[in-house]
Amino acid sequence: LYFSFSQYFGMKALIFVSLTLLFADHSLYLSHAVLDLDKRELTIKVFSDDLDDVLKSFELTESWGSFETKEDLISEYFYSRFLINKGAVALSFLSLSEENDACFLHFKLKEVPEFDTLVIKADYFMEEFPAQNNVIEVSQHSKKRFLRLTLDTPEADLALK
């Protein structure tokens, strides 16, 4: 059997790329939160399986019912993991809806005092998934601004004025 130099390294490269793609971790850990200051609403979109894993770890249990039966647990978890101005703005859990592989968590902001700067900390899911990225869309007076929060930078300031 005869292989040329280029065929030999070409085959090795093809095998390497194939094995890399076969065994690579292609997991995507991403959420999108929409914080509407005018409507005083927060909607967080997360993957259902990630929410399931995080809540099982948070509650230290292996199995449990549907998300609807765990609304108190969801509230407790996100109240400690999504903070606006160090907790100065309180969240009230409204509902959860599911669509395909996503969960939408709906919250109402109880009071929104006038702030010149908004400090948002959103480190949810990062204890379970260190590669988690939380994209926060903040809208106020028809303006939209975005933050990307990660394990290295779970908190960011946003000037409102």
Side-chain angles (χ1 to χ4, degrees):
L1 192 63
Y2 173 77
F3 288 106
S4 71
F5 186 73
S6 61
Q7 286 176 322
Y8 175 75
F9 282 104
M11 283 180 55
K12 283 189 102 170
L14 179 62
I15 291 170
F16 175 75
V17 169
S18 298
L19 289 174
T20 301
L21 291 175
L22 182 63
F23 293 107
D25 182 13
H26 290 286
S27 299
L28 176 65
Y29 298 106
L30 179 70
S31 80
H32 179 230
V34 178
L35 176 60
D36 188 326
L37 294 174
D38 297 324
K39 293 181 182 176
R40 297 181 10 199
E41 295 175 345
L42 170 66
T43 301
I44 302 173
K45 178 183 178 183
V46 297
F47 288 109
S48 301
D49 58 340
D50 293 347
L51 179 61
D52 186 53
D53 291 343
V54 165
L55 292 178
K56 284 178 185 173
S57 293
F58 187 66
E59 191 180 44
L60 301 175
T61 186
E62 286 298 317
S63 64
W64 44 282
S66 68
F67 290 124
E68 288 79 18
T69 65
K70 293 297 180 178
E71 289 183 357
D72 290 341
L73 183 65
I74 292 169
S75 298
E76 181 184 347
Y77 177 80
F78 279 93
Y79 293 164
S80 66
R81 297 289 186 172
F82 194 103
L83 300 175
I84 301 170
N85 285 22
K86 312 278 187 203
V89 177
L91 300 175
S92 174
F93 182 73
L94 295 176
S95 65
L96 177 143
S97 57
E98 292 184 71
E99 184 178 312
N100 299 323
D101 61 350
C103 281
F104 295 85
L105 308 166
H106 307 281
F107 298 86
K108 189 75 172 171
L109 282 61
K110 291 186 178 178
E111 287 185 33
V112 184
E114 287 295 318
F115 294 111
D116 292 335
T117 302
L118 205 59
V119 180
I120 296 177
K121 180 178 181 183
D123 63 351
Y124 54 89
F125 291 16
M126 292 178 190
E127 73 283 3
E128 190 78 20
F129 309 113
Q132 177 75 27
N133 280 263
N134 296 329
V135 176
I136 314 299
E137 175 184 331
V138 180
S139 64
Q140 182 184 40
H141 309 308
S142 301
K143 281 189 197 174
K144 290 184 182 180
R145 288 170 246 153
F146 296 85
L147 301 169
R148 185 173 69 86
L149 303 176
T150 63
L151 185 62
D152 293 332
T153 56
E155 183 176 295
D157 298 356
L158 183 65
L160 295 177
K161 295 184 181 190

